[in-house]
Amino acid sequence: MAVISIDLGGTKIAGALFEDSGNVLAWETRLLEGRSGKDVSDLLGSMVTGLWDNPAARDGIEGIGICVPGIVYSKKGTVWAPNIPGWVDFPLRRNLLEQLPEERRGIPVHIESDRTCYILGEVWQGCAKGCDDAVYLAVGTGIGAGILIDGHVLHGKGDSVGATGWMALEPPYDRKYDGVGCFEYYASGNGIGARAREAVAAAAGYDGPLSAIPVESITAREVFSACFEGDPLALRIIDKAVLLWGMASANLVSLFNPEKLIFGGGVFGPAVQLLPRIREEALKWGQPIAMEEVEFCASTVSGGDAALMGAAWMVLRDLGKGKPSPQDGAF
């Protein structure tokens, strides 16, 4: 038997068939190509149907797990996804079930936020195996955290736990933080790119590596490349991010006392080599005993597919059919 796992991003959908061992039977992606509202749900439904009918699923499908980039309102079964137009309190579960043949509508469907799926993927197949207490800090376009404490993923009253991009790390408050939050403004992928574009535009006579790129085309990738070449402007941008990653890490460790603090997302990537500096900064700010107990590590899920893994694990753990290591925490 297999489960269908779907990872919905801002520009594409990835889907896979997983066995309970973690083996991937089939995998595919589709671009959103500007779709919005119900059109995105219809595309997702067609992927589910295609995976269900895939010959690799010859022993049948036991459930569907879906990861979305936003907030899943668990009490209502609706979704808010800021990067998908029209997905405000969107009835994703209902729309998906309506697309399935009637005989398939009794299938378990689990929908969770990407940050929750990240930490579950690491618990099932990554570096958080055996952990009851771990935090996944996802740094990509934005910043969010999946938080596992005492064997339970935290959700909060409105299901928005983990919106760490809004951490207050740079007083005094400035209205420029209104749209994304202080932490994300400086230390997300988008934030790093934007701060570099501002710095290059304001730097008269700057002739470093970033000057060879049209200002509007500078992204975090180019900033990291220039930083590792020793460019002072890029170093200043990344040093600021390291400072805030360290402070945020200290706050997370002091609050939650995790065994593992896992760094993932597109920025970690190139920023993985900065983990020793981030930990050094965190040691200045964090609760000393908790800081001694935590391990800083990079995501180890193959190909960065923690979200797909986590979406599959949601279903398997509910069915009691996942096969993590014997020491894995019970949910």
Side-chain angles (χ1 to χ4, degrees):
M1 303 291 280
V3 298
I4 294 172
S5 175
I6 302 291
D7 177 19
L8 174 61
T11 60
K12 66 174 183 166
I13 302 175
L17 285 174
F18 281 91
E19 292 183 307
D20 56 9
S21 64
N23 183 46
V24 179
L25 299 173
W27 184 87
E28 64 174 291
T29 61
R30 299 187 190 180
L31 297 176
L32 297 187
E33 297 180 324
R35 290 177 175 84
S36 62
K38 189 174 180 298
D39 288 341
V40 176
S41 177
D42 290 346
L43 182 65
L44 189 154
S46 69
M47 176 175 279
V48 167
T49 297
L51 288 167
W52 199 312
D53 294 333
N54 190 298
R58 56 189 176 277
D59 294 327
I61 299 297
E62 292 189 288
I64 301 167
I66 301 172
C67 167
V68 298
I71 298 174
V72 178
Y73 298 113
S74 56
K75 296 179 179 65
K76 298 187 291 182
T78 60
V79 170
W80 171 74
N83 294 327
I84 301 176
W87 277 38
V88 177
D89 211 21
F90 183 79
L92 177 58
R93 183 190 305 276
R94 188 187 72 202
N95 272 259
L96 174 61
L97 291 175
E98 286 175 351
Q99 293 182 64
L100 297 178
E102 188 170 350
E103 65 273 13
R104 294 179 176 178
R105 292 179 186 173
I107 195 81
V109 176
H110 295 263
I111 306 174
E112 267 287 9
S113 70
D114 49 6
R115 51 188 177 267
T116 292
C117 289
Y118 293 147
I119 187 61
L120 291 180
E122 293 290 340
V123 167
W124 186 31
Q125 298 288 335
C127 65
K129 279 188 175 183
C131 292
D132 284 332
D133 302 279
V135 176
Y136 186 109
L137 186 62
V139 185
T141 301
I143 302 178
I147 302 169
L148 175 77
I149 298 298
D150 296 333
H152 300 280
V153 173
L154 303 187
H155 288 88
K157 182 180 186 301
D159 295 289
S160 61
V161 162
T164 44
W166 295 88
M167 276 188 172
L169 301 172
E170 180 86 351
Y173 185 78
D174 192 303
R175 295 307 298 251
K176 65 190 179 185
Y177 304 148
D178 282 359
V180 294
C182 169
F183 186 21
E184 194 167 302
Y185 181 84
Y186 291 107
S188 65
N190 276 0
I192 290 169
R195 305 294 75 76
R197 292 191 293 273
E198 292 172 354
V200 170
Y206 170 73
D207 61 355
L210 296 176
S211 65
I213 305 168
V215 172
E216 66 277 7
S217 299
I218 295 172
T219 69
R221 182 179 299 277
E222 287 79 35
V223 180
F224 277 108
S225 178
C227 171
F228 297 144
E229 291 177 25
D231 177 55
L233 185 148
L235 279 165
R236 187 168 71 249
I237 302 296
I238 298 303
D239 284 348
K240 177 73 170 185
V242 168
L243 170 66
L244 297 190
W245 290 330
M247 293 175 68
S249 298
N251 290 341
L252 290 168
V253 171
S254 300
L255 281 169
F256 298 113
N257 189 204
E259 178 182 348
K260 300 276 185 77
L261 179 57
I262 304 161
F263 292 79
V267 169
F268 286 87
V272 163
Q273 60 187 287
L274 301 173
L275 280 181
R277 286 186 56 198
I278 295 167
R279 182 178 177 85
E280 182 181 357
E281 185 63 41
L283 285 168
K284 301 174 187 175
W285 302 87
Q287 202 282 335
I289 296 173
M291 287 302 305
E292 288 179 5
E293 294 173 334
V294 68
E295 177 184 349
F296 282 39
C297 53
S299 171
T300 58
V301 173
S302 175
D305 288 332
L308 273 175
M309 292 279 190
W313 177 233
M314 282 192 298
V315 181
L316 291 167
R317 68 171 186 178
D318 186 62
L319 295 170
K321 295 187 178 183
K323 294 179 181 176
S325 66
Q327 296 80 26
D328 278 3
F331 290 84

